[in-house]
Amino acid sequence: MATNSSHLTEGRDRALSSLTASIGALNLAEQDSGIRPAKTVFGSAGVLLDTIRDSAANDQEYVKLGLSCANVCRALDRGLNGRRTEDLSEYLLGAVETLTTTVATIQKAIIKQGKQGSASHPFHAKHDKEKIAAWERDLDRILLIFNTELAIDTHVMVAGTYKNVLAIQEGAHSVQASTPPGELPPPAPKAFFGRGALIEEVVGHAEKLESIALIGAGGIGKTSIALTILEDDRIKARFGDNRRFIRCEQFLASRAHFLARLSKVIGAGVDNPEDLVPLRPFLSSKETLIILDNAESILDPQGPNHKEIYAVVDELCQFKTLCLCITSRMTSVPRYCKRPRIPTLSMEAAREIFYGIYGNDERSVIIDNLLQRLDFHALSITLLATAASDNVWDHDRLAKEWDEQRAQVLRTDHNESLAATIELSLTSPTFRKLGPDAHDLLGVVAFFPQGVGEKNLEWLFPTTPSRANIFDKFCALSLTHRSSGFITMLAPIRDYFRPRDPKASPLLCATKDHYFTRLSINPDPSRSLSGETQWIVLEDVNVEHLLDIFTSIDTG
């Protein structure tokens, strides 16, 4: 035990030493930089690391976050070394400013948490682990964008040298003449089950060059479906090598970035097009299938550049030689897209995915029950099987872990988790604009097994303004869906949002009071199905769950 304590102390000392060294380096970078936006981000990062060092020395997750921030800033400092503001393209400056905003957001959030916590231990890293992981993903994404912009900017600066190299290699290009221009798509997933009817429907639309939108909750399998379609034999026969795949979350959401990425992927050879005009001859010359994956990152209606990006995507849908296939969590896609329904998996398909990863062909009722409790959600099944395999759990141990931890089990050692997928929707501009009550409203929906009756929003949430619009947006974001008059969730999403302590949720407690008030009204016994009696019958599962939870918590 003493040895473990010694190791922990040594590790903490090393972490604090790294933070201190990083703070010093950031201070020097701030002094030396001749680019004002960079000076700002170095200063903000220095304050952030200083706060973590002084207030969260025992929280390894926050220390790790601070060091990740320092690494991004070091890369920024190296990339901008010796440059002036006027040397940089507007896109590179945009990437620097985006990094500034991200670091400032993290800094404010951590300082706010520190004020809310106790004086001796203001942070609760275990409770905030998912939030910290989301911040780290933001930093990684910004670093990717920055490196991409720096590479583009450098390429422009050495364009003359690059042309000379191309001339020298002209002979080599003729050897590779059979390779199509642009970028080939990634391979289809090896394990893909239970989507035969959907694949047939989408391939049928693609063969008629109709635009398609695959819309659904995160983790339901949209990207896997799109990649499988790209490798379908009929699609290969129709489009040949003119099959392209664009990951929309990997570039800044602006028309310029989208057009530049489109030009590169299709092999048009047009640098930084301002609109589709220079790309039209190329797009019209051959039949092409283009997948826009995770398109919610560029088509969010509340995004700053949404209108101009949407106009470009909408115009792409009008090309008679082009089939555009969009995967998105949001329903805001061009109006003429075909929207095939993406169902959850069948039991047999869910078994194939689980046992293909778990590696044990022995079928079990325990596993069938778990798959059903996951609503046959593809990503959740994959994560559950991976966690069971990595930890060498038998079926009974897996069921026990699921009963005790629920959504916490749906993570792997490779930083994959259901929470990370859900949080992408929570960080979207549309969700953020819904206001501070949005997360708590989702908690109420998650608490009730049936969800929330769509006709009951007015009396359930009387103090929530624009409640109908908020619930519409939940559905538009694929966080909820409509089913038999209720707004409800897939089981894994419900487990993520369900309040751990129902009594600690003011909004849920208020909702409970509204339920109990309505339940106290005596129905007319002379009418077999009066309005109130019918309401209780329709919500029998919700009412039973409410009484079971709250009467066991508060007998009064």
Side-chain angles (χ1 to χ4, degrees):
M1 183 69 74
T3 302
N4 288 339
S5 176
S6 175
H7 284 323
L8 287 173
T9 301
E10 289 177 8
R12 187 158 52 248
D13 289 344
R14 283 196 300 270
L16 289 173
S17 176
S18 296
L19 283 174
T20 301
S22 296
I23 292 169
L26 286 169
N27 290 337
L28 287 175
E30 182 185 9
Q31 295 172 13
D32 295 341
S33 178
I35 300 174
R36 184 172 295 278
K39 292 176 77 73
T40 302
V41 73
F42 294 148
S44 296
V47 173
L48 172 61
L49 267 64
D50 196 50
T51 303
I52 293 174
R53 180 187 61 180
D54 293 345
S55 304
N58 296 320
D59 288 335
Q60 295 181 5
E61 296 297 330
Y62 278 95
V63 172
K64 190 170 138 191
L65 174 69
L67 294 176
S68 295
C69 180
N71 287 336
V72 176
C73 289
R74 273 196 291 272
L76 172 62
D77 188 34
R78 287 195 302 268
L80 297 181
N81 185 34
R83 299 193 182 197
R84 299 169 301 171
T85 304
E86 53 267 31
D87 296 332
L88 307 183
S89 69
E90 59 177 307
Y91 305 131
L92 187 53
L93 278 173
V96 175
E97 289 167 1
T98 301
L99 178 58
T100 305
T101 302
T102 301
V103 172
T105 300
I106 296 173
Q107 175 192 337
K108 290 177 183 177
I110 290 185
I111 291 174
K112 181 179 178 182
Q113 284 180 283
K115 291 177 180 178
Q116 292 173 347
S118 65
S120 61
H121 196 76
F123 297 134
H124 305 278
K126 183 176 180 181
H127 177 72
D128 294 329
K129 200 166 186 178
E130 296 298 342
K131 186 179 290 185
I132 294 170
W135 284 332
E136 287 186 326
R137 287 192 299 275
D138 282 345
L139 288 171
D140 289 342
R141 181 178 62 85
I142 295 299
L143 180 59
L144 175 64
I145 291 172
F146 169 72
N147 285 335
T148 301
E149 292 300 339
L150 185 62
I152 292 173
D153 195 56
T154 303
H155 167 73
V156 171
M157 291 173 63
V158 299
T161 304
Y162 183 64
K163 288 178 182 177
N164 291 335
V165 173
L166 287 181
I168 294 171
Q169 295 179 339
E170 187 175 355
H173 286 173
S174 63
V175 177
Q176 302 175 358
S178 60
T179 303
E183 296 181 5
L184 292 177
K190 287 185 177 180
F192 187 79
F193 306 100
R195 302 291 195 187
L198 178 59
I199 294 296
E200 289 294 319
E201 182 180 357
V202 176
V203 168
H205 291 309
E207 288 183 317
K208 291 184 283 187
L209 297 177
E210 295 174 330
S211 295
I212 308 150
L214 300 174
I215 301 171
I220 203 169
K222 302 180 294 296
T223 300
S224 295
I225 293 167
L227 289 172
T228 300
I229 290 165
L230 280 175
E231 295 301 318
D232 185 275
D233 289 339
R234 291 161 294 178
I235 295 298
K236 287 182 176 179
R238 178 63 185 265
F239 298 99
D241 290 325
N242 301 311
R243 295 168 290 118
R244 297 292 183 257
F245 188 87
I246 298 177
R247 299 187 187 276
C248 297
E249 78 279 9
Q250 292 187 346
F251 53 86
L252 288 173
S254 73
R255 182 176 65 177
H257 285 82
F258 175 59
L259 288 169
R261 185 71 184 133
L262 176 65
S263 176
K264 181 178 180 182
V265 167
I266 65 176
V270 179
D271 292 333
N272 301 320
E274 295 183 359
D275 51 35
L276 281 176
V277 172
L279 303 182
R280 282 175 188 160
F282 190 90
L283 291 169
S284 301
S285 65
K286 60 190 79 174
E287 291 184 347
T288 305
L289 170 61
I290 300 176
I291 305 288
L292 298 183
D293 190 44
N294 293 331
E296 70 276 355
S297 61
I298 61 173
L299 293 178
D300 190 310
Q302 300 302 324
N305 302 306
H306 161 258
K307 289 184 179 179
E308 57 184 31
I309 301 175
Y310 181 92
V312 174
V313 176
D314 189 52
E315 185 177 346
L316 286 173
C317 290
Q318 313 304 319
F319 278 81
K320 295 181 179 180
T321 55
L322 184 65
C323 173
L324 195 68
C325 181
I326 295 169
T327 76
S328 178
R329 301 169 188 226
M330 300 189 67
T331 56
S332 56
V333 297
R335 60 183 70 85
Y336 296 115
C337 288
K338 303 295 182 181
R339 303 186 185 193
R341 177 176 171 269
I342 304 179
T344 52
L345 297 168
S346 65
M347 173 63 85
E348 190 53 42
R351 287 172 180 157
E352 292 284 354
I353 291 175
F354 180 88
Y355 290 108
I357 298 170
Y358 185 67
N360 186 343
D361 292 333
E362 180 185 349
R363 298 298 194 257
S364 165
V365 174
I366 294 174
I367 298 303
D368 283 357
N369 181 47
L370 285 174
L371 298 178
Q372 192 167 13
R373 290 164 71 182
L374 288 172
D375 271 348
F376 307 111
H377 181 252
L379 175 62
S380 297
I381 294 168
T382 300
L383 293 172
L384 186 73
T386 304
S389 176
D390 289 350
N391 292 288
V392 200
W393 290 336
D394 61 18
H395 296 174
D396 290 328
R397 174 67 185 280
L398 177 58
K400 179 177 180 292
E401 293 293 334
W402 172 254
D403 286 335
E404 292 178 355
Q405 299 188 55
R406 292 298 180 97
Q408 296 302 313
V409 176
L410 302 180
R411 61 171 61 251
T412 70
D413 293 334
H414 308 293
N415 208 26
E416 298 173 298
S417 71
L418 176 67
T421 298
I422 294 173
E423 284 164 4
L424 288 176
S425 297
L426 302 185
T427 57
S428 68
T430 289
F431 184 83
R432 288 177 175 176
K433 193 162 184 178
L434 295 180
D437 293 333
H439 199 285
D440 291 338
L441 287 169
L442 287 170
V444 174
V445 177
F447 172 81
F448 290 105
Q450 294 173 272
V452 173
E454 192 163 9
K455 294 182 179 179
N456 300 333
L457 299 181
E458 185 174 350
W459 65 264
L460 278 175
F461 310 106
T463 62
T464 302
S466 305
R467 48 191 168 266
N469 176 65
I470 291 175
F471 279 91
D472 285 343
K473 292 297 184 287
F474 289 163
C475 292
L477 287 161
S478 298
L479 290 167
T480 63
H481 62 273
R482 292 179 169 88
S483 176
S484 303
F486 287 86
I487 296 174
T488 186
M489 295 173 167
L490 291 172
I493 301 177
R494 186 186 306 124
D495 285 327
Y496 174 86
F497 284 109
R498 182 187 290 120
R500 300 294 172 257
D501 179 7
K503 194 174 181 181
S505 169
L507 185 59
L508 183 55
C509 288
T511 304
K512 177 261 297 183
D513 292 339
H514 296 317
Y515 259 98
F516 283 2
T517 298
R518 191 166 184 181
L519 286 170
S520 66
I521 300 174
N522 293 322
D524 184 353
S526 65
R527 300 174 61 188
S528 59
L529 278 178
S530 67
E532 293 306 314
T533 304
Q534 190 176 32
W535 169 77
I536 294 174
V537 171
L538 289 173
E539 299 230 11
D540 59 339
V541 177
N542 279 351
V543 171
E544 182 180 351
H545 182 66
L546 189 71
L547 292 172
D548 180 56
I549 295 297
F550 277 94
T551 53
S552 63
I553 293 176
D554 182 0
T555 56

